[in-house]
Amino acid sequence: MSSDDKPELTTAPSQAIPQEAFDWYDEYAHGIIDRREFMMRLAGLVALGFTLSTLTGALMPNYALAEQVSFNDPTIQASYVKFPSPEGYGEGRGYLVLPSALLIPGQKAGDPKTLDPTKKAPVVLVVHENRGLNPYIEDVARRLAAKGYIAFAPDALYSLGGYPGNDDAGRAMQASLDRAKIEQDFIAAARFLKSHPQSNGKLGAVGFCFGGYIVNMLAAIIPDELAAGVPFYGTPAVTELRSRVKGPLMLQFAALDQRINDTWAEYEAQLKANKADYAAYLYPNVNHGFHNDSTARYDEPTAELAWARTLDFFGKHLLV
C-alpha cells in the first residue's frame, strides 16, 4: 500500500485468543458463515483451555466500553433528527451532534432556536457498520463534535424501527434491506448534512466496514460534494463508478484483514489512473475493526494513531 509516510507503530501485543477466532468472527459478522457454524468452530477451541463464554465475551461487542465522550458532555448538543430520502426509503433518521460553541452565548442546548446563525462549522457524516446505528458509532459522532465538527450518524435501519439494541438482530435487519435504497439514504443524508444552516459548506465522511464502503461510494457518486473521505477497512464502489473518484481520501486498513485488503490493489490502480488525491495506511498486526473499542479486536495505539490522522486530514480539508 502507498502512503505519504510509513506508520510508526510498535508491534501489537500478542492476543490470548487465537487469530483464527477473530477470522471466524469476521466471517460470521459479514454473513459468510452462520451463527451455528461460528459457535461450532469456537467450540473446537475449548480443548485449548478456553471457555465459550470467554471467547464470545471477548469477540462480541460490549458497548459500555465504547463511550469516550458522554452524551451529556457540556461541549456538545446531541439529538435525533429526520431527513427526506425520496430515492431511498422515503425518510431517514440519524444522530446529530453539534459543538456547543454554535449556541448563542448564555443559551442552553436542546432548542434549535438557540443556535447562532452567524457561527459555522465543517460537517462530517459518520457511517456505521453492517448492523445499524450502535452506541460505538454514536460515540464517534460525539468525538467529532467535541473537536468542533457538526457530526451526523444516520441509521440505515430506521425504516424497520431503528437499531434494535443488539448487533445480531441489527445485522439481520440490515441484510434484509434493499442495498440500493440504503445507499440512496446515505447520499440524501450527506446532502442534508451539507445544507445544515450552521455548515461551512465543507462535507467530510468517515465510515467503518460497511460504512467504509459507503464513504468510497460517496466519493464516486458525489465527488464534487465530498471534500474529504476516510474509509476504515471498506471495500470500493462498484467498478463502473470508480473512475469518478478524485478524492481527497484517506484509506485505513488492518494488515490481518485479508478479505478487505484483497480489494485494494485494483482500487489503488484506478485511483492512480484517476490522478486522485489519496493516502493509504496499512497498520500491522491488527484486525478488521481495530478502531472499535467495544471488542477485543480493538487495538488502542493503532486506533489512536489512525484517529489522529483522521482528525488531521479533516482539519486540512474541511477547516479551510
Side-chain angles (χ1 to χ4, degrees), residues 111-125:
D111 183 352
K113 294 179 181 179
T114 66
L115 293 174
D116 185 341
T118 68
K119 295 180 179 179
K120 306 292 183 181
V123 299
V124 178
L125 189 74

Side-chain angles (χ1 to χ4, degrees), residues 66 126 135-145 151 206 208 291 307:
V126 183
Y136 155 63
I137 297 298
E138 291 189 342
D139 192 67
V140 171
R142 293 194 296 270
R143 296 174 205 175
L144 284 163
V206 61
F208 306 87
H291 184 268
W307 192 243

Side-chain angles (χ1 to χ4, degrees), residues 21 64 133 304:
L133 179 58
E304 290 187 353

